[in-house]
Amino acid sequence: MNDRLAAPVLVRAAALAHLRWGEVGDGRVAVLLHGVGGGRESWGDALSGSGRAIADAGLCAIAVDLPGYGHTPRLARYDMAGLADQLQALLEQLQAQGASRVALVGHSMGGMVAQELMARQAPALVKSLVLIATSPAFGKSDGAWQRDYLAQRLAPLDAGQGMGAIAPGLTRGMASPLAPQDAVARAAVLMGAVPEATYRSALQALVGFDRREALARLAVPVLCIAGADDRNAPPAVMKQMAQRIAQAHYHCLPGVGHLAHMEAPQQVNRLLVDFLQSTL
């Protein structure tokens, strides 16, 4: 096994930031992409959580800090296209190092970044997707819902509260009432550490996302994992998304909210490993 913090990825000249990642395991690769309030540590720091479960199954897990998170510099142009460019650059680096089969595992915003990449470029080395607590579009087509969402989320920051102040309430609202309190507390710590500028930019990127028309073109196996108590990416939305993907498998976890991989890591890891072993 190879337990280390890898050097920053060398990106194409057109890309504006480097990605930092934690790597564990050897062989076929699963790239783990976090949500708007997370970072690579949301996967259990990759070396002891989902990444370790994947590595123990004989695969390689790479948990990425997206731009602006952890030690990865923030993008000057922070939108879904820019985030997908960074992910593409990472895949090119992995391919240059010998990877030939990759799965993208995305939670919430990370799942949207994975969809954006597949809709735009569909790299040949990506053999499967895992979409956790995410959706193919954000809000409604008229834009009013998105404006209200941004206003509600940004108002406390505009009033000077800061990420550390708003994180506990937001994470409690995302998690199931049945979620382990230590998992919710850990999620709050991670969200509280997200730079405010990154959080603002990430929210702006989210509200413009809409790749519903690309679902029917996904030509790889896809695992969709929903939480029954998720109000951010409701099970009905994820089930409908799965129904529009030719090779999709849908699972809904009872008593689980939006932070599925933190609230119920053993259940999620079991689904992840079984799916990845069969598709990589």
Side-chain angles (χ1 to χ4, degrees):
M1 296 296 179
N2 178 22
D3 293 358
R4 63 186 177 85
L5 177 64
V9 122
L10 299 176
V11 299
R12 298 172 301 175
L16 299 175
H18 295 173
L19 297 179
R20 304 291 179 96
W21 73 86
E23 179 179 331
V24 59
D26 297 290
R28 297 158 292 170
V29 179
V31 176
L32 312 181
L33 305 166
H34 61 79
V36 68
R40 66 182 179 87
E41 291 87 354
S42 68
W43 301 100
D45 204 5
L47 306 182
S48 60
S50 295
R52 172 53 60 193
I54 293 169
D56 287 346
L59 308 174
C60 175
I62 293 177
V64 171
D65 272 326
L66 291 170
Y69 293 82
H71 298 290
T72 301
R74 194 163 66 93
L75 287 172
R77 187 199 76 191
Y78 208 108
D79 57 17
M80 281 293 169
L83 293 171
D85 283 345
Q86 293 294 290
L87 179 55
Q88 174 67 24
L90 171 60
L91 296 181
E92 291 173 358
Q93 178 73 6
L94 293 175
Q95 189 170 36
Q97 294 175 354
S100 60
R101 300 182 67 84
V102 172
L104 301 179
V105 180
H107 170 251
S108 193
M109 180 179 74
M112 295 178 183
V113 175
Q115 291 177 70
E116 179 70 18
L117 176 66
M118 297 300 288
R120 294 167 67 238
Q121 302 180 53
L125 76 164
V126 176
K127 302 303 181 183
S128 59
L129 298 178
V130 181
L131 303 176
I132 305 172
T134 191
S135 64
F138 197 88
K140 302 177 181 178
S141 57
D142 63 4
W145 188 92
Q146 287 92 326
R147 288 191 294 273
D148 290 343
Y149 174 88
L150 278 178
Q152 292 172 12
R153 283 296 181 98
L154 295 179
L157 295 176
D158 293 339
Q161 289 192 33
M163 291 298 297
I166 69 172
L170 288 175
T171 52
R172 282 195 301 271
M174 288 188 285
S176 168
L178 303 175
Q181 290 307 301
D182 59 340
V184 180
R186 175 173 165 78
V189 170
L190 290 176
M191 177 175 276
V194 175
E196 181 177 326
T198 296
Y199 184 73
R200 287 176 176 271
S201 296
L203 290 181
Q204 293 285 352
L206 285 180
V207 297
F209 178 73
D210 188 345
R211 283 297 187 179
R212 286 173 289 191
E213 87 293 339
L215 294 177
R217 300 198 304 271
L218 280 173
V220 298
V222 181
L223 173 63
C224 298
I225 302 176
D229 298 337
D230 189 348
R231 294 173 293 277
N232 293 69
V237 171
M238 291 208 68
K239 185 174 183 179
Q240 184 179 49
M241 175 172 66
Q243 290 171 341
R244 298 175 65 180
I245 301 170
Q247 301 180 63
H249 308 266
Y250 171 77
H251 289 270
C252 183
L253 301 175
V256 173
H258 189 62
L259 307 172
H261 60 308
M262 301 186 73
E263 297 177 50
Q266 291 184 339
Q267 296 176 66
V268 170
N269 290 347
R270 187 159 50 246
L271 290 171
L272 272 179
V273 167
D274 289 347
F275 180 76
L276 294 174
Q277 285 183 321
S278 68
T279 59
L280 279 182

